[in-house]
Amino acid sequence: MSDKYKIIQAFNENINLEKIKILEKTHTYISDKLILDSINGVNVVAKDHHEVLKNKTGFSRILGELTGNSKRHQDMINENIIQGISACTSWLQDHDRHLSRLDKRISENMNVIKDHFSKIKEKNRELEDKLNDFQQASINNFINIEERLKNIEIKTLIDQEIVKLESSEKYDVFKDYSLKIFIFMDNLFSGRFGLYDLNNQKENIDYLEDKLKGYLKREIGNNCLKDYINFENIHNNIKDFDDLEKSAISYISNCQSTFLEHKQIRPIVSDLIKISSNDDISEFKKDIKNNSRISEFTTYENYIRNTIREFK
């Protein structure tokens, strides 16, 4: 049994793993979402324990103070070294003031030594400057290389999921294209792609948007981006699913809406899919009408942008 299934069962031993495995064929990361929900529940209890531990006294506090204090010890060592150097410097300065009492040859030797010492220090400073310049240049080069590689990987992950969207049976069950795009985005951002922060990545956001627009143009027609989305088509598509798939859609859209609200981002597309999961057509229409965030005149172009905004 996979480790993730063991974790799911550890939180809920009555869960039906066979149903989860069926859903994973379409919703690749639904197991991870279930685990995350369970951990979030445990996290509330963990925080309470943390507050208790923070207030412990006696031996526990002493042990805590002794643990992980290598930096403090290092600071003490550095302080002693600095004090030693300062003492040596003071002694040399005091000694210089009384050179007239010493033998002339000793004075000359001391001056030669000091002169050599100054030259060595100067050379060391020059070498240190060069090393710092080299280090900074290397860091900048690595940052540039890393950025280019990151952009390549981001575009590659988008392309791979677009290929699945166009050709894989994974998305065949979704007849409505707006619903397909929502599931596509969930699969994309729930995977490795979701590790990237796209908030300041305009180039890659534009690339994702262009790929989705290109997909819709190929599937529906070149002028489709200005067409209004028919919300009832989404509802009817979901209504035709079996109970297992309906539950998955409802669960995923609810998770996304809750996550966005927690981040103080207005869910629009996620709320639309969540409302569309309601079997009752009259309740669906009423909820759509009462949700001021959802406009009945949403074009495919706006839908794509809103979906990207909610997932990135």
Side-chain angles (χ1 to χ4, degrees), residues 46 48 50 71 128-129 138 154 160 168 218 229:
D48 291 340
H50 176 65
K71 183 181 184 303
E128 185 178 0
D129 289 342
S138 299
I154 285 174
Q160 287 173 347
S168 172
R218 289 191 295 275
I229 290 176

Side-chain angles (χ1 to χ4, degrees), residues 26 34 55 70 75 95 104 145 153 157 163 165 169 184 192 198 208 231 236 242 244 248 257 278 286-287 289 296 305:
T26 301
L34 288 166
N55 296 322
S70 58
D75 289 343
H95 207 64
K104 183 179 178 182
I145 291 169
E153 182 170 18
L157 291 171
V163 168
L165 179 63
E169 294 180 1
F184 163 87
R192 198 169 70 201
L198 296 186
L208 174 58
F231 297 156
N236 291 334
D242 57 37
L244 187 60
S257 288
N278 191 328
K286 184 172 73 175
D287 288 343
K289 187 176 181 181
E296 294 182 25
R305 285 177 184 159

Side-chain angles (χ1 to χ4, degrees), residues 280-294:
D280 190 319
I281 186 69
S282 59
E283 286 295 319
F284 157 74
K285 288 181 177 179
K286 184 172 73 175
D287 288 343
I288 288 288
K289 187 176 181 181
N290 291 337
N291 192 316
S292 59
R293 297 173 184 171
I294 301 173

Side-chain angles (χ1 to χ4, degrees), residues 7 42 47 52 83 127 140 171 190 245 249 277 282 311:
I7 294 170
V42 173
K47 284 182 178 177
V52 173
Q83 287 175 350
L127 179 60
N140 290 338
Y171 292 96
S190 293
E245 184 60 46
I249 297 290
S277 302
S282 59
F311 276 94

Side-chain angles (χ1 to χ4, degrees), residues 128-156:
E128 185 178 0
D129 289 342
K130 289 177 181 177
L131 285 173
N132 286 337
D133 290 342
F134 174 75
Q135 182 186 39
Q136 192 57 52
S138 299
I139 289 171
N140 290 338
N141 284 335
F142 280 123
I143 289 173
N144 290 335
I145 291 169
E146 188 178 44
E147 192 66 25
R148 288 199 297 271
L149 289 174
K150 182 176 74 174
N151 287 335
I152 290 170
E153 182 170 18
I154 285 174
K155 291 179 174 64
T156 300

Side-chain angles (χ1 to χ4, degrees), residues 38-55:
S38 301
I39 290 172
N40 284 338
V42 173
N43 187 42
V44 175
V45 179
K47 284 182 178 177
D48 291 340
H49 284 298
H50 176 65
E51 290 302 317
V52 173
L53 289 172
K54 271 203 313 186
N55 296 322

Side-chain angles (χ1 to χ4, degrees), residues 38 56 67 77 86 91 113 131 145 147 158 161 163-164 191-192 202 222 259 261 270 277:
S38 301
K56 277 194 172 182
T67 304
I77 292 167
S86 298
W91 181 84
I113 291 170
L131 285 173
I145 291 169
E147 192 66 25
I158 292 171
E161 198 63 34
V163 168
K164 293 177 186 176
R192 198 169 70 201
K202 186 177 185 307
N222 283 327
F259 172 71
E261 287 169 356
S270 301
S277 302

Side-chain angles (χ1 to χ4, degrees), residues 199-214:
N199 284 316
N200 297 312
Q201 295 274 331
K202 186 177 185 307
E203 176 191 339
N204 292 315
I205 291 172
D206 289 345
Y207 185 81
L208 174 58
E209 185 176 332
D210 289 342
K211 282 291 180 177
L212 286 173
K213 286 179 179 178

